[in-house]
């Protein structure tokens, strides 16, 4: 599903350059279920954004389903973001003026789905994340956990085979977080590939595979006490 | 791809309700620019048309010739000799100057005639002229009447053509004037026509509306004048007035023994010079309007561009999110173009509607309610289609480009960068 070789990401802030990713080599197979773990600032989100085709790498090669991402056109990338990848952002990134339902509808609109199908799908997904009664609420009228669940529902809109979640439980209490993890377990059981960033060692330990990051590089094991 | 349109329109109306203020400001910017420039140009055009019509009130392409005094010595004769011409001289010009002159007429004139119809009396000046005088001087009959004709002239008929105001003085407000008999200095004359109302911004010896016109022959049998007061001629279309005047001198100079190049020998008023003045005046006037219009447009355009720019900045994050969720760049750009276009249609349309209503309904309204005839002062404002289109186009393109280019910039960013920017 995913193959990266020697991927680096360098940020230039004024005269300072900062290497957020260093020489990342990784392979993730179809239907894998991985946790990405590491201290804050270690480059987890940076890596996830590159995997999600939301950002480009500075050097190195990235193949998604056997295709080299660097060679794809803007429209091909847009279609991949729309249909192949469901991305749950660390900070939700919901459209502030739109209701929960309308937010979930956005990827369906870009996919050119009919209105009838869109409405059915929105209802189905929001029910699935337990928000059937908040369909008409705007982000400002929801709690952090509710917004998080809208973001998950939106990521599932076009039924993508790959789900990327940047700390989907970060803003939630243990119980609600647990419900989200259960949901991801279900999604994995349905045959999806899932990569999830988490700070919670308990959640990470439950998943079949852990990817450890430190200072922008993949490591076998985290150094104790960071 | 109906869903693209759908999201644009939905987005647009969401935007309007979400950002009432900036939508209002953009619309008002376009609206106000349109109104100012359209009104400016309309009034300018109206004024110009009024001046052109009024300057034709005296006549089109005509000169008026009075006797003069020579300024050059000629063939042993000193300067300062008085040159006058007779009616037969004018006939001579008519026969010889056919190359450059299309119409000509003598004019004998005398004032303070006593006109009487029933109990009404009026004092008016009367001109004795040839039939060609009417068309040439834009003295046109109202329906049911006519100007003097050749038979009137030959038979020395006692007929009179009346200016519209003198006719009203004698007859009051009635249309039954033609065929009635009035007395002029106690001699009966039949009225053959009344002049159509016209505006006349220049004149010699009074306005035509206050005069009466009779055949020159009739005039002379009554007054017995040797010399006409003046004569009037019209240059052929496409002929320079100067060459027509030259031709007049060529005919008269040998008869009276003066230098044909002596411009003072006859006193000539070339009325086309007025026209030239107005043409130049309006070239300057219109340039002035264009400059003001441009400044208005620039001001409006900057306002509109500024607002659109802020909008796109505010929406960079939104653009990033949409691209992250699979929007094609074109969909994003289409949306901004559609929004810009709708704002233009809204602002430009309302602006045009207001200007159009003002131009169309204000003058009659003022006339009816306050008896104030705007047309007398600034003419009838007339929508300048080209100016309007230009205004709406310039403001519109400003709005579209001001929205389009930043939006394109945002949609070219990597989605995470666009999202993180704001
Ligand atoms: N646009 C940018 N310009 C410069 N530096 C950046 C930029 N984005 C991220 N960084 C830096 O890259 C490093 C990695 O950031 P990243 O967001 O990947 O961390 P993270 O592992 O997701 O942390 P957290 O757990 O807090 O979310 C950080 O030190 C951050 O300061
Ligand atoms: Mg992060």
């Amino acid at each position: 599903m995913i193959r990266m070789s020697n991927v680096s990401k360098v940020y230039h802030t004024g005269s300072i350059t900062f290497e957020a990713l260093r020489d990342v080599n990784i392979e993730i197979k179809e239907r894998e279920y991985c946790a990405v773990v590491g201290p804050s600032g270690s480059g987890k989100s940076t890596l996830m954004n590159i995997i999600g085709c939301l950002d480009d790498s500075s050097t190195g090669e990235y193949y998604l389903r056997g295709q080299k991402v660097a060679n794809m056109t803007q429209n091909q990338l847009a279609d991949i973001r729309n249909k192949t990848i469901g991305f749950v952002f660390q900070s939700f990134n919901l459209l502030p003026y739109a209701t929960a339902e309308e937010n979930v509808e956005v990827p369906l609109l870009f996919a050119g789905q009919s209105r009838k199908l869109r409405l059915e799908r929105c209802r189905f997904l929001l029910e699935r994340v337990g928000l059937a009664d908040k369909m008409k609420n705007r982000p400002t009228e929801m709690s952090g956990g509710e917004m998080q669940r809208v973001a998950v529902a939106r990521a599932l809109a076009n039924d993508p085979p790959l789900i990327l979640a940047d700390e989907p439980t970060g803003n939630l209490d243990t119980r609600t977080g647990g419900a989200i993890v259960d949901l991801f377990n279900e999604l994995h059981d349905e045959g999806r590939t899932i990569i999830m960033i988490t700070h919670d060692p308990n959640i990470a330990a439950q998943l079949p595979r852990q990817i450890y990051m430190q200072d922008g590089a993949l490591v076998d094991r985290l150094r104790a006490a960071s | 791809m109906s869903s693209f349109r759908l999201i644009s329109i939905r987005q647009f109306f969401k935007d309007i309700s979400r950002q009432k203020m900036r939508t209002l400001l953009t619309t008002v910017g376009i609206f106000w620019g349109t109104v100012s420039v359209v009104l400016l140009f309309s009034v300018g055009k109206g004024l110009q048309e009024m001046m052109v019509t009024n300057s034709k009130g005296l006549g089109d392409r005509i000169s008026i010739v009075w006797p003069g005094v020579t300024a050059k010595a000629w063939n042993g004769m000193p300067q300062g000799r008085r040159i006058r011409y007779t009616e037969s001289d004018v006939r001579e010009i008519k026969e010889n100057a056919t190359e450059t002159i299309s119409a000509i007429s003598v004019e004998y004139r005398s004032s303070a005639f006593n006109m009487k119809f029933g109990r009404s009396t009026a004092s008016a000046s009367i001109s004795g002229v040839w039939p060609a005088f009417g068309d040439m001087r834009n003295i046109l009959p109202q329906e049911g009447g006519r100007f003097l004709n050749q038979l009137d002239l030959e038979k020395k008929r006692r007929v009179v053509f009346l200016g519209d105001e003198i006719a009203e003085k004698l007859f009051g407000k009635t249309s039954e004037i033609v065929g009635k008999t009035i007395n002029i200095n106690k001699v009966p004359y039949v009225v053959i026509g009344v002049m159509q109302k016209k505006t006349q911004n220049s004149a010699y010896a009074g306005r035509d509306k206050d005069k009466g016109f009779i055949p020159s022959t009739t005039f002379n049998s009554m007054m017995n004048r040797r010399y006409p007061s003046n004569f009037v001629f019209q240059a052929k279309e496409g002929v320079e007035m100067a060459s027509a005047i030259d031709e007049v001198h060529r005919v008269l100079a040998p008869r009276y023994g003066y230098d044909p190049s002596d411009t003072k020998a006859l006193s000539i008023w070339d009325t086309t010079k007025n026209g030239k003045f107005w043409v130049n005046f309006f070239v300057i006037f219109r340039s002035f309007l264009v400059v003001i219009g441009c400044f208005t447009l620039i001001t409006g355009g900057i306002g509109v561009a500024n607002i659109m720019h802020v909008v796109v900045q505010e929406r960079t994050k939104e653009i990033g999110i949409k691209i992250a969720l699979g929007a094609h760049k074109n969909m994003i750009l289409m949306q901004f173009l559609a929004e810009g276009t709708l704002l233009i249609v809204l602002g430009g349309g309302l602006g045009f509607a207001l200007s159009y209503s003002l131009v169309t309904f204000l003058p009659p309204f003022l006339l009816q309610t306050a008896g104030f005839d705007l047309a007398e002062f600034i003419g009838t404002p007339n929508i300048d289609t080209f100016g309007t289109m230009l205004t709406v186009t310039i403001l519109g393109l400003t709005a579209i480009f001001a929205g389009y280019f930043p939006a394109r910039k945002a949609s070219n960013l990597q989605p995470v960068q666009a999202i993180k920017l704001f």
Side-chain angles (χ1 to χ4, degrees):
Chain A
M1 188 91 186
I2 287 165
R3 189 158 59 80
M4 280 186 171
S5 48
N6 304 320
V7 165
S8 310
K9 179 78 184 176
V10 183
Y11 287 116
H12 302 271
T13 315
S15 56
I16 303 162
T17 57
F18 179 82
E19 227 183 342
L21 285 183
R22 307 163 197 255
D23 260 345
V24 172
N25 292 287
I26 196 171
E27 181 152 1
I28 295 170
K29 297 209 167 55
E30 213 133 320
R31 291 169 176 250
E32 268 202 87
Y33 193 7
C34 326
V36 179
V37 193
S40 185
S42 58
K44 304 182 297 292
S45 294
T46 307
L47 177 65
M48 198 70 124
N49 290 338
I50 293 174
I51 295 175
C53 301
L54 300 177
D55 207 350
D56 51 1
S57 57
S58 305
T59 55
E61 286 174 353
Y62 167 33
Y63 291 86
L64 179 65
R65 295 177 133 184
Q67 277 190 294
K68 194 171 175 181
V69 170
N71 291 344
M72 291 185 201
T73 65
Q74 279 194 346
N75 284 352
Q76 282 173 323
L77 286 173
D79 290 340
I80 285 181
R81 292 181 204 120
N82 187 238
K83 299 192 183 67
T84 310
I85 300 171
F87 204 102
V88 184
F89 292 91
Q90 191 167 11
S91 48
F92 320 141
N93 285 331
L94 300 177
L95 298 179
Y97 53 83
T99 62
E101 188 182 26
E102 287 164 343
N103 265 293
V104 178
E105 195 183 357
V106 174
L108 295 163
L109 274 167
F110 293 144
Q113 302 289 9
S114 73
R115 180 170 167 75
K116 184 166 171 290
L117 194 141
R118 294 199 306 266
L119 294 184
E120 275 173 22
R121 186 83 185 141
C122 289
R123 168 160 290 277
F124 169 78
L125 289 169
L126 285 167
E127 270 169 9
R128 183 163 185 186
V129 297
L131 285 178
D133 54 339
K134 305 276 178 170
M135 302 232 311
K136 302 291 176 199
N137 286 38
R138 287 165 210 284
T140 47
E141 301 156 349
M142 285 187 278
S143 73
E146 286 165 346
M147 287 194 273
Q148 185 69 281
R149 283 183 278 164
V150 174
V152 173
R154 184 177 67 181
L156 295 173
N158 286 321
D159 201 8
L162 175 61
I163 305 278
L164 305 175
D166 195 344
E167 287 204 47
T169 58
N171 299 287
L172 309 180
D173 61 49
T174 326
R175 164 124 42 112
T176 333
I180 291 277
V181 174
D182 289 342
L183 179 60
F184 278 97
N185 290 341
E186 273 176 45
L187 295 173
H188 177 242
D189 292 340
E190 287 167 10
R192 290 182 177 83
T193 313
I194 298 180
I195 308 172
M196 184 199 294
I197 298 177
T198 178
H199 269 125
D200 187 330
N202 294 327
I203 294 175
Q206 289 170 29
L207 304 198
R209 179 179 171 188
Q210 290 79 31
I211 295 164
Y212 297 104
M213 289 198 74
Q214 201 139 34
D215 297 331
L218 300 191
V219 291
D220 290 338
R221 188 157 301 266
L222 291 175
R223 281 189 303 253
S226 58
Chain B
M1 295 272 121
S2 68
S3 55
F4 290 11
R5 261 202 306 280
L6 204 131
I7 197 169
S8 296
I9 293 166
R10 274 177 29 153
Q11 191 73 60
F12 176 70
F13 288 112
K14 285 224 182 77
D15 241 60
I16 284 189
S17 53
R18 190 160 57 102
Q19 299 193 333
K20 290 187 189 82
M21 204 54 197
R22 74 101 180 150
T23 310
L24 192 77
L25 287 176
T26 318
T27 314
V28 165
I30 298 175
F31 170 79
W32 188 240
T34 310
V35 171
S36 344
V37 177
V38 170
L39 284 186
L40 201 65
F41 282 171
S42 310
V43 171
K45 201 175 168 192
L47 260 176
Q48 181 165 7
E49 279 166 3
M50 176 178 81
M51 287 305 176
V52 171
T53 338
N54 287 2
S55 67
K56 288 195 175 146
L58 185 61
D60 208 0
R61 304 193 312 281
I62 63 166
S63 280
I64 299 134
V65 185
W66 290 272
V69 176
T70 58
K72 292 179 179 176
W74 179 249
N75 280 351
M77 285 184 283
Q79 65 178 63
R81 279 181 313 121
R82 187 141 191 226
I83 303 295
R84 306 172 161 213
Y85 43 81
T86 62
E87 186 162 346
S88 74
D89 292 330
V90 178
R91 225 171 273 127
E92 188 75 13
I93 297 170
K94 182 182 174 180
E95 270 146 36
N96 287 300
T98 48
E99 294 283 297
T100 52
I101 291 177
S102 53
I104 191 163
S105 168
V106 294
E107 182 171 12
Y108 296 92
R109 195 175 49 247
S110 189
S111 56
F113 280 92
N114 187 350
M115 291 189 179
K116 193 163 188 299
F117 177 75
R119 295 227 178 96
S120 345
T121 57
S123 167
S125 105
I126 285 191
S127 291
V129 298
W130 294 349
F133 192 83
D135 279 342
M136 185 166 52
R137 289 268 281 89
N138 247 325
I139 299 169
L140 305 172
Q142 291 177 15
E143 227 178 89
R146 62 169 178 86
F147 195 69
L148 307 166
N149 65 23
Q150 199 58 34
L151 267 177
D152 298 334
L153 195 72
E154 282 165 14
K155 304 218 147 141
K156 299 190 190 177
R157 281 179 180 159
R158 292 231 176 87
V159 289
V160 63
F161 182 93
L162 292 176
D164 51 326
E165 292 213 346
I166 190 75
E168 199 180 318
K169 255 187 218 160
L170 289 172
F171 292 91
K173 280 198 190 293
T174 170
S175 54
E176 290 159 21
I177 298 177
V178 174
K180 297 267 162 65
T181 302
I182 63 171
N183 285 334
I184 300 179
N185 285 359
K186 302 209 166 114
V187 180
Y189 280 76
V190 176
V191 180
I192 53 165
V194 178
M195 187 178 83
Q196 282 175 20
K197 190 176 166 60
K198 70 171 179 181
T199 42
Q200 182 184 350
N201 70 350
S202 57
Y204 55 94
R207 311 265 153 179
D208 295 336
K209 60 185 184 188
D210 302 318
K211 289 190 205 164
F213 300 90
I214 62 177
S216 61
T217 48
T218 317
F219 188 98
N220 249 346
S221 63
M222 175 168 66
M223 304 295 289
N224 211 2
R225 290 259 184 94
R226 185 157 173 224
Y227 298 105
S229 314
N230 54 269
F231 70 89
V232 180
F233 68 87
Q234 182 176 46
K236 276 196 166 162
E237 209 163 341
V239 167
E240 281 291 317
M241 185 55 89
S243 44
I245 291 175
D246 280 350
E247 193 136 36
V248 168
H249 282 301
R250 239 188 329 265
V251 173
L252 291 184
R255 297 187 138 213
Y256 292 96
Y258 68 88
D259 185 343
S261 69
D262 187 346
T263 53
K264 294 284 189 312
L266 297 170
S267 167
I268 300 180
W269 177 21
D270 172 0
T271 65
T272 60
K273 291 211 170 119
N274 303 26
K276 276 179 198 137
F277 168 78
W278 286 114
V279 167
N280 290 336
F281 175 81
F282 275 105
V283 167
I284 296 168
F285 184 68
R286 294 206 84 165
S287 329
F288 178 67
L289 287 192
V290 166
V291 169
I292 296 183
C294 285
F295 278 117
T296 312
L297 282 186
I298 290 171
T299 319
I302 290 175
V304 169
N306 194 22
I307 296 162
M308 286 308 281
H309 191 74
V310 170
V311 171
V312 181
Q313 282 207 335
E314 277 176 1
R315 290 175 64 184
T316 298
K317 176 167 182 163
E318 181 188 319
I319 292 173
I321 293 174
K322 286 185 172 168
I323 289 188
L325 295 175
H328 287 203
K329 191 172 140 187
N330 286 346
M331 302 180 198
I332 304 281
L333 295 181
M334 273 296 297
Q335 186 191 322
F336 275 84
L337 286 181
E339 281 184 24
T341 312
L342 278 164
L343 288 182
I344 295 157
V345 170
L346 212 66
L350 287 177
F352 184 75
L354 178 69
S355 327
Y356 185 83
S357 321
L358 278 179
V359 165
T360 316
F361 301 119
L362 188 65
F365 177 78
L366 282 179
L367 192 61
Q368 273 195 353
T369 55
F372 177 74
D373 189 3
L374 202 63
E376 261 179 42
F377 300 94
I378 60 163
T380 309
N382 193 340
I383 293 280
D384 185 303
T385 324
F386 178 74
T388 308
M389 300 298 260
L390 196 71
T391 310
V392 176
T393 312
I394 289 178
L395 284 177
L397 289 181
T398 317
I400 289 183
F401 285 137
Y404 179 80
F405 287 108
R408 197 178 69 165
K409 205 172 126 197
S411 64
N412 276 337
L413 291 173
Q414 290 294 337
V416 263
Q417 280 157 19
I419 291 172
K420 274 187 185 171
L421 267 180
F422 288 94

